[in-house]
Amino acid sequence: HVQLVESGGGSVQAGGSLRLSCAYSGDIYDSYCMAWFRQTPGKEREGVAVIEGADGTTTYADSVKGRFTISKANTKNTLYLQMNSLKPEGTAMYYCAADPGYLDECGPSYNYWGQGTQVTVS
């Protein structure tokens, strides 16, 4: 049984910062791909950041590059998303996700998802 639980969302002014956490349990291994997604009602879910289990390589959406940082504390079973210089368009429900990946590639689909945490930037 796999469980992912996001926390750290909230309301912040434009230009401010938040750090999201995703505590995971069950059969999620250090080698798994882990990612953050976000979704606004009526719009498609957007991939925000990915960290690859094999070597820790990170990938970011162009819209957040240079402002967001994804990281993982394997010993704490926790995934993080540090969000700086937040913009109103960053308002969304943020989800963490995990997947075994395929031949050292992450995506496009993820098997396991958290329930989401709301981020509101005003």
Side-chain angles (χ1 to χ4, degrees):
H1 178 69
V2 169
Q3 183 170 291
L4 302 95
V5 180
E6 301 94 334
S7 62
S11 182
V12 64
Q13 293 184 337
S17 299
L18 284 174
R19 188 174 78 156
L20 306 183
S21 298
C22 172
Y24 54 89
S25 60
D27 293 332
I28 296 179
Y29 300 95
D30 292 347
S31 59
Y32 274 34
C33 303
M34 301 205 73
W36 288 96
F37 291 78
R38 63 186 180 188
Q39 187 170 30
T40 300
K43 298 183 179 180
E44 298 291 333
R45 180 169 288 173
E46 173 190 18
V48 176
V50 176
I51 184 164
E52 300 180 10
D55 58 6
T57 299
T58 57
T59 304
Y60 298 92
D62 288 341
S63 60
V64 307
K65 194 171 299 180
R67 299 186 296 114
F68 289 14
T69 303
I70 187 171
S71 62
K72 182 157 60 80
N74 290 334
T75 58
K76 298 179 180 179
N77 288 354
T78 304
L79 178 73
Y80 301 99
L81 184 67
Q82 178 67 46
M83 305 186 295
N84 298 327
S85 301
L86 281 162
K87 302 176 180 180
E89 52 263 43
T91 296
M93 185 73 73
Y94 284 73
Y95 300 88
C96 64
D99 192 82
Y102 180 71
L103 297 177
D104 298 324
E105 298 291 336
C106 296
S109 61
Y110 283 76
N111 286 348
Y112 308 111
W113 294 83
Q115 83 293 341
T117 185
Q118 178 67 38
V119 172
T120 302
V121 185
S122 60

Coordinates of all heavy atoms in Angstrom, one line a residue, residues 6 11 21 23 25 39 47 51 82 86 94 103 109:
E6 N 0.6 15.4 1.0 CA 1.2 16.7 0.8 C 0.8 17.6 2.0 O -0.2 17.5 2.6 CB 0.7 17.4 -0.4 CG 1.0 16.6 -1.7 CD -0.1 15.7 -2.1 OE1 -0.9 15.3 -1.3 OE2 -0.2 15.4 -3.4
S11 N -1.8 30.4 1.8 CA -1.9 31.7 1.1 C -0.7 32.5 1.3 O -0.2 32.6 2.4 CB -3.2 32.4 1.6 OG -3.4 33.6 0.9
S21 N 5.8 19.9 1.3 CA 6.3 18.7 1.7 C 5.4 17.5 1.2 O 4.2 17.7 1.2 CB 6.5 18.6 3.2 OG 7.5 19.5 3.6
A23 N 5.1 13.6 2.3 CA 5.5 12.4 3.1 C 5.0 11.2 2.5 O 3.8 11.1 2.2 CB 5.1 12.6 4.6
S25 N 4.9 6.8 2.1 CA 5.1 5.5 2.7 C 4.7 4.4 1.8 O 4.1 4.6 0.8 CB 4.3 5.5 4.1 OG 2.9 5.6 3.8
Q39 N -2.7 21.8 -10.6 CA -3.9 21.9 -11.4 C -4.8 23.0 -11.0 O -5.1 23.1 -9.7 CB -4.6 20.6 -11.4 CG -5.8 20.5 -12.4 CD -6.3 19.1 -12.6 OE1 -6.2 18.3 -11.7 NE2 -6.8 18.8 -13.8
G47 N 2.8 19.4 -15.2 CA 4.0 19.0 -14.5 C 4.8 20.2 -14.1 O 5.1 21.0 -14.9
I51 N 12.2 14.8 -10.0 CA 13.5 14.4 -9.6 C 13.6 12.9 -9.8 O 12.8 12.1 -9.4 CB 13.7 14.7 -8.1 CG1 15.2 14.4 -7.7 CG2 12.7 14.1 -7.2 CD1 15.6 15.0 -6.4
Q82 N 10.5 23.7 -2.9 CA 10.7 25.0 -2.4 C 10.3 26.0 -3.5 O 10.8 25.9 -4.7 CB 12.2 25.2 -2.1 CG 12.5 26.7 -1.7 CD 11.9 27.0 -0.3 OE1 11.9 26.2 0.6 NE2 11.3 28.2 -0.3
L86 N 6.9 33.6 -5.8 CA 5.6 33.1 -6.3 C 4.8 34.2 -7.0 O 4.9 35.4 -6.7 CB 4.8 32.6 -5.1 CG 5.2 31.2 -4.7 CD1 4.7 30.9 -3.3 CD2 4.7 30.1 -5.6
Y94 N -1.6 21.6 -5.7 CA -0.3 21.0 -5.9 C -0.3 19.5 -5.5 O -0.7 19.3 -4.3 CB 0.8 21.7 -5.3 CG 1.2 23.0 -6.0 CD1 0.4 24.1 -5.9 CD2 2.4 23.1 -6.7 CE1 0.7 25.3 -6.6 CE2 2.7 24.3 -7.4 CZ 1.9 25.4 -7.3 OH 2.2 26.5 -8.0
L103 N 13.2 2.4 -17.7 CA 14.5 2.5 -18.3 C 15.2 3.9 -18.0 O 15.7 4.5 -18.9 CB 14.5 2.2 -19.8 CG 14.0 0.8 -20.2 CD1 13.9 0.7 -21.7 CD2 15.0 -0.2 -19.7
S109 N 3.3 9.1 -17.3 CA 2.3 8.9 -16.3 C 2.9 8.5 -15.0 O 4.1 8.0 -14.9 CB 1.4 7.8 -16.8 OG 2.1 6.6 -17.0

